[in-house]
Amino acid sequence: MRLISPSVLSADFGRLNEEVDIINRSEADFLHVDVMDGVFVPNISFGFPVMKALKARSQKPLDVHLMIVSPEKYVERFCDAGAWSVGFHLEAVDDPMPALQLIRNKGVRTCLTVNPDIDIHRLDPYLGEVDMVLIMSVFAGFGGQSFIPETLGRVRYIRSEIDRRGLDTLIEVDGGINTKNAKDVFDAGADVLVAGSAVFQASDPLKAVQMMKHG
Ligand code: DX5
Ligand code: ZN
């Protein structure tokens, strides 16, 4: 699959509705919602009020990426706020299963995420437990960073594991993705590409989405 999830983190928050409308008009498949708590990552983005505004305006499903400690305390509220999927970092918890169960109980799709320095094999036991895995291609915390090329090998490994086991778990990749490298990331086996600055800072965001999806 070749799906695109523009990250609203790179949008102009002073004109959020207009920015969401651009994504509504685009060929994007999701809107990616980056929630940062200033503890798990050294940055703070936004929380429920902004999530609510996005839900009210977006015609695309909301793909929520929680970069927070204790995700089990908040996942249900993001489900109730209208998330299509809720993901959190494996390295933020001792055991991901309780928070995954809370999300599943709400009928929302589950996602587990790992930063670039986390042993990719730590995802192995959960590939059959989640709807999607999110492989970070930059260190979570900020938009506008450069894609870490070693990510491609990690994506290929997870693709081979998912295929070998006959699973339908989606692979999402997030960070530093642009119109130039999107094809390589899809070719490595990704299903969903997150792109923030490459969409919202583009002179023609609709074209940027189109190029990543079909290029
Ligand atoms: C980083 C976020 C990403 C980020 C992507 O912590 O999870 O979703 O917004 O932005 P770009 O595409 O600019 O790297
Ligand atoms: Zn993200």
Side-chain angles (χ1 to χ4, degrees):
M1 252 174 276
R2 292 171 74 103
L3 308 175
I4 303 292
S5 188
S7 167
V8 79
L9 186 66
S10 300
D12 177 351
F13 283 68
R15 38 189 292 279
L16 192 55
N17 280 341
E18 290 89 330
E19 297 278 71
V20 173
D21 287 345
I22 292 171
I23 304 308
N24 286 341
R25 287 197 302 275
S26 79
E27 286 186 66
D29 301 279
F30 301 102
L31 188 62
H32 185 80
V33 179
D34 283 309
V35 177
M36 305 179 183
D37 66 355
V39 180
F40 180 70
V41 287
N43 197 12
I44 298 175
S45 58
F46 53 77
F48 298 111
V50 171
M51 171 76 188
K52 198 173 158 210
L54 294 170
K55 180 62 188 173
R57 193 76 173 197
S58 179
Q59 293 162 8
K60 308 286 182 180
L62 301 181
D63 153 36
V64 175
H65 175 194
L66 300 179
M67 287 160 272
I68 65 174
V69 295
S70 305
E72 68 285 353
K73 291 184 186 164
Y74 299 102
V75 288
E76 289 174 299
R77 285 182 67 188
F78 282 101
C79 293
D80 292 341
W84 182 87
S85 66
V86 173
F88 59 89
H89 280 253
L90 180 56
E91 65 272 27
V93 290
D94 292 329
D95 175 8
M97 294 310 278
L100 291 174
Q101 193 57 49
L102 291 172
I103 300 167
R104 226 180 268 139
N105 289 347
K106 290 282 186 184
V108 172
R109 289 149 204 85
T110 52
C111 177
L112 262 186
T113 306
V114 285
N115 258 316
D117 60 345
I118 301 300
D119 182 354
I120 198 70
H121 295 284
R122 283 181 59 187
L123 280 176
D124 289 351
Y126 306 108
L127 293 179
E129 302 284 345
V130 295
D131 297 292
M132 183 155 80
V133 289
L134 168 50
I135 300 172
M136 292 303 299
S137 40
V138 300
F139 282 88
F142 300 90
Q145 304 179 72
S146 298
F147 183 86
I148 299 173
E150 287 75 18
T151 308
L152 293 177
R154 292 161 65 82
V155 174
R156 279 187 211 106
Y157 167 70
I158 292 295
R159 175 86 272 150
S160 68
E161 267 308 288
I162 285 173
D163 291 351
R164 189 179 65 77
R165 300 194 216 170
L167 301 171
D168 57 5
T169 312
L170 294 171
I171 301 177
E172 182 173 47
V173 181
D174 180 6
I177 297 200
N178 54 44
T179 54
K180 293 192 185 71
N181 61 19
K183 185 179 185 303
D184 291 343
V185 189
F186 277 132
D187 287 350
D191 298 295
V192 186
L193 302 188
V194 176
S197 38
V199 173
F200 286 100
Q201 256 100 77
S203 54
D204 185 345
L206 302 193
K207 185 89 196 301
V209 171
Q210 187 193 30
M211 284 172 73
M212 282 187 261
K213 201 172 164 75
H214 305 290

